[in-house]
């Protein structure tokens, strides 16, 4: 019964949307399309290749799809689910095709750089970032329920149109996400800590293993690697272009996070070098106590915070 009530609430959130355009139908865009269609919203997709368009229709990601930006005409809301670099260097054809009266939002993981580009490009642009993902990518990766119970961050500025912000929040809430508003630069620093830094740390660990000079050690490590290793290294084995874009477009925040991580690692190394086992155990006890506070989901995703 509660699920049915939640779905009715989600549908009510979308009452103002008759047609939503989704630019890019990879993991995020495809998942948005699937969830919106399940709620009865018409979804218009825009992609670069005919083969992607055909597969998107076969998978039911959209009601209609095109490679021509003009297809966005008549959309109430347009979601730019593009790779970060494409988002930061938008094509002229896309900009010309965006309806001036539509609300436009993005899903990029860096907000300061996005706002630098987009704040003057469209009068109803709202920067946002759903904190959801998997290791998959491309038109085959979209899935139902990806955003349910996950954070979706909006980073409005003083000039952001209040009604447009309200509609992007309605989109997030309709998909079951937990809405959070944040300052763009605070967002970028926080995401550097919990998303961009782990990519680099995970990559460094994989690099250490890959460059182990003793083949016996390397081969045995490969055989012994299990779920703990998989969890620790998942993000380091992700899309290299995305990891590079994160570092390139969020450099100051990432460097600050790397410096803090390096200092923390050095403290642990010093305790080991000096045989300070009681100190090391205290540090590990502290980190064990810290972890749950960063992983607990919001108490009720159906009641997002302002």
């Amino acid at each position: 019964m509660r699920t049915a009530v939640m779905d009715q609430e989600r549908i009510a959130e979308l009452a103002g949307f008759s047609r939503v355009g989704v630019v890019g139908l990879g993991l995020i865009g495809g998942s948005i399309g699937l969830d919106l269609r399940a709620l009865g919203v018409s979804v218009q997709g825009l992609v670069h290749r005919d083969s992607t368009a055909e597969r998107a229709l076969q998978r039911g990601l959209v009601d209609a799809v095109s490679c021509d930006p003009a297809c966005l005409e008549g959309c109430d809301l347009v979601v730019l689910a593009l790779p970060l670099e494409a988002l930061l260097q938008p094509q002229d054809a896309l900009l010309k095709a965006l309806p001036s009266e539509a609300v436009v939002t993005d899903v990029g993981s860096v907000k300061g750089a996005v706002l630098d580009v987009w704040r003057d490009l469209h009068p109803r642009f709202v920067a946002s970032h759903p904190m959801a993902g998997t290791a998959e990518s491309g038109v085959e990766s979209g899935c139902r329920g990806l955003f349910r119970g996950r954070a979706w961050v909006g980073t409005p500025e003083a000039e952001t149109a209040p009604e447009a912000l309200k509609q992007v929040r309605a989109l997030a809430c309709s998909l079951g996400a937990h809405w959070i508003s944040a300052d763009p630069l605070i967002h970028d620093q926080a995401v550097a800590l919990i998303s961009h830094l782990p990519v680099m740390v995970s990559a460094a660990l994989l690099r250490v293993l890959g460059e182990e000079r003793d083949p016996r050690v390397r081969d045995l490590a490969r055989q012994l690697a299990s779920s703990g290793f998989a969890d620790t290294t998942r993000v380091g084995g992700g899309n290299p272009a995305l990891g590079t874009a994160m570092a390139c477009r969020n450099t100051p925040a990432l460097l600050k996070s790397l410096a803090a991580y390096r200092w923390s690692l050095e403290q642990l190394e010093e305790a080991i070098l000096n045989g300070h086992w009681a100190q090391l155990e205290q540090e590990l006890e502290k980190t064990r106590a810290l972890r749950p506070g960063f992983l607990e989901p919001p108490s009720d995703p159906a009641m997002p915070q302002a």
Side-chain angles (χ1 to χ4, degrees):
M1 180 64 69
R2 177 57 184 158
T3 300
V5 172
M6 286 177 63
D7 285 343
Q8 290 175 2
E9 292 172 348
R10 293 164 68 199
I11 292 171
E13 292 280 5
L14 288 169
F17 302 143
S18 62
R19 189 163 179 254
V20 174
V22 180
V23 184
L25 294 173
L27 173 64
I28 301 298
S31 299
I32 289 173
L34 282 169
D35 280 352
L36 286 178
R37 293 193 72 216
L39 293 172
V41 177
S42 176
V43 179
Q44 170 66 56
L46 173 61
V47 296
H48 287 301
R49 292 184 291 273
D50 290 334
S51 58
T52 303
E54 181 178 354
R55 185 57 181 149
L57 283 174
Q58 291 173 349
R59 294 203 60 224
L61 305 182
V62 292
D63 293 280
V65 63
S66 175
C67 296
D68 182 357
C71 69
L72 298 176
E73 182 178 359
C75 290
D76 309 295
L77 170 69
V78 177
V79 180
L80 304 172
L82 293 165
L84 189 56
E85 289 305 305
L87 182 63
L88 295 175
Q89 300 179 50
Q91 296 181 350
D92 289 340
L94 172 62
L95 295 177
K96 292 177 181 177
L98 290 173
S100 60
E101 67 280 5
V103 174
V104 178
T105 191
D106 75 302
V107 297
S109 67
V110 178
K111 298 275 67 91
V114 166
L115 281 163
D116 287 344
V117 171
W118 278 91
R119 66 167 59 94
D120 297 323
L121 290 181
H122 195 279
R124 307 191 73 196
F125 178 77
V126 178
S128 77
H129 176 208
M131 294 296 299
T134 70
E136 305 302 319
S137 62
V139 72
E140 301 294 339
S141 60
C143 57
R144 288 282 305 277
L146 180 67
F147 310 100
R148 188 183 289 273
R150 303 297 185 89
W152 192 310
V153 188
T155 58
E157 299 183 295
E159 300 80 9
T160 301
E163 184 60 30
L165 177 63
K166 181 179 178 180
Q167 288 187 275
V168 175
R169 173 176 170 158
L171 169 70
C173 295
S174 73
L175 302 184
H178 169 66
W179 179 261
I180 299 172
S181 290
D183 176 273
L185 296 183
I186 296 298
H187 165 277
D188 288 355
Q189 188 63 66
V191 171
L193 281 169
I194 56 91
S195 180
H196 301 172
L197 174 63
V199 169
M200 301 304 154
V201 171
S202 174
L205 175 57
L206 286 166
R207 181 176 177 181
V208 168
L209 292 168
E211 294 182 358
E212 166 58 47
R213 295 185 178 183
D214 189 331
R216 298 168 301 174
V217 173
R218 186 174 60 250
D219 291 344
L220 182 57
R222 183 180 294 111
Q223 294 177 57
L224 297 178
S226 189
S227 59
F229 177 78
D231 291 343
T232 306
T233 59
R234 179 181 66 81
V235 292
N239 187 332
L242 178 58
T244 302
M246 291 175 177
C248 176
R249 299 300 184 173
N250 201 23
T251 302
L254 178 55
L255 288 176
K256 182 178 179 181
S257 299
L258 282 167
Y261 178 78
R262 186 182 302 111
W263 180 86
S264 183
L265 190 61
E266 287 172 353
Q267 302 309 299
L268 296 175
E269 182 182 25
E270 184 177 351
I272 295 170
L273 282 171
N274 295 318
H276 293 165
W277 309 122
Q279 176 188 342
L280 179 62
E281 185 175 0
Q282 289 176 359
E283 291 296 331
L284 295 178
E285 185 63 41
K286 184 188 302 183
T287 57
R288 182 174 71 169
L290 282 170
R291 186 173 186 269
F294 288 95
L295 297 178
E296 293 173 355
S299 57
D300 187 353
M303 297 296 290
Q305 297 179 357

